[in-house]
């Protein structure tokens, strides 16, 4: 799929019903409406990716001076495996470069092999581990900390 088939727009409060329909399909411990509302009110960079007229992905990025942290990165199931995640990461990295960011961080579950593959293909490298970072069905799961220069 060509990246030109996609468009991007800032996430708005009107998008939250759609986002919250997909969060539990994508994550065993989904974000709440409050998490997204707090991100919007804090001025984080929140995006909706659209294919034609249909939203297909969303992301939340927190920027602090010249660093950015990917807080939520989600591609709806029907759009997975078609390069949507890679295109959204490319868009975010370009936008962050334009805003003077020189380091882009994220956490990912070690067990999330598909997400790790997308991030590694985009140039993210593992730089550490956060013990017990994520809630899990039987306790907690570590997070891999990854970084790339936008």
């Amino acid at each position: 799929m060509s990246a030109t088939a996609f468009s991007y727009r800032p996430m708005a409060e009107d998008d939250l019903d759609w986002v919250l329909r997909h969060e539990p399909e994508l994550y065993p411990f989904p974000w709440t409406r409050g998490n997204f509302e707090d991100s919007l009110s804090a001025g984080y960079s929140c995006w909706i990716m659209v294919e034609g007229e249909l939203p297909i992905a969303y992301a939340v990025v927190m920027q602090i001076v010249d660093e950015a942290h990917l807080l939520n990165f989600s591609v709806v199931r029907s759009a997975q495996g078609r390069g949507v995640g890679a295109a959204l990461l490319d868009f975010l990295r370009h936008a962050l470069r334009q805003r003077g960011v020189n380091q882009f961080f994220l956490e990912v579950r070690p067990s999330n092999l598909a997400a790790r593959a997308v991030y590694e293909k985009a140039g993210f490298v593992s730089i550490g581990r956060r013990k017990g970072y994520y809630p899990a069905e039987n306790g907690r799961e570590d997070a891999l900390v990854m970084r790339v220069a936008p």
Side-chain angles (χ1 to χ4, degrees):
M1 171 98 355
S2 164
T4 59
F6 304 124
S7 60
Y8 307 87
R9 61 177 170 77
M11 183 186 292
E13 196 150 337
D14 290 348
D15 294 309
L16 294 186
D17 286 341
W18 176 84
V19 167
L20 290 166
R21 274 196 309 274
H22 292 282
E23 266 295 287
E25 297 170 1
L26 301 171
Y27 300 106
F29 299 91
W31 274 26
T32 65
R33 179 176 291 275
N35 294 132
F36 286 101
E37 288 173 342
D38 289 349
S39 295
L40 289 169
S41 66
Y44 294 169
S45 185
C46 304
W47 292 95
I48 298 286
M49 182 179 187
V50 178
E51 182 176 40
E53 298 293 317
L54 298 174
I56 57 170
Y58 51 96
V60 177
V61 179
M62 174 181 65
Q63 182 178 342
I64 301 172
V65 190
D66 61 350
E67 295 181 359
H69 194 123
L70 185 62
L71 302 177
N72 189 306
F73 186 81
S74 303
V75 176
V76 300
R77 289 213 189 277
S78 61
Q80 291 179 3
R82 299 191 291 121
V84 171
L88 181 53
L89 278 176
D90 286 346
F91 168 80
L92 293 172
R93 291 175 69 186
H94 176 76
L96 292 170
R97 261 192 313 274
Q98 299 300 318
R99 296 173 74 180
V101 168
N102 60 36
Q103 292 191 86
F104 191 17
F105 297 92
L106 61 84
E107 286 91 14
V108 63
R109 291 176 186 266
S111 63
N112 191 343
L113 300 179
R116 287 174 56 192
V118 170
Y119 298 141
E120 289 167 0
K121 188 174 181 183
F124 282 87
V125 294
S126 182
I127 60 167
R129 183 178 286 262
R130 296 189 199 280
K131 296 283 185 198
Y133 184 81
Y134 289 111
E137 192 170 310
N138 296 314
R140 309 287 298 178
E141 183 176 357
D142 292 352
L144 296 178
V145 180
M146 302 183 83
R147 177 182 64 201
V148 72

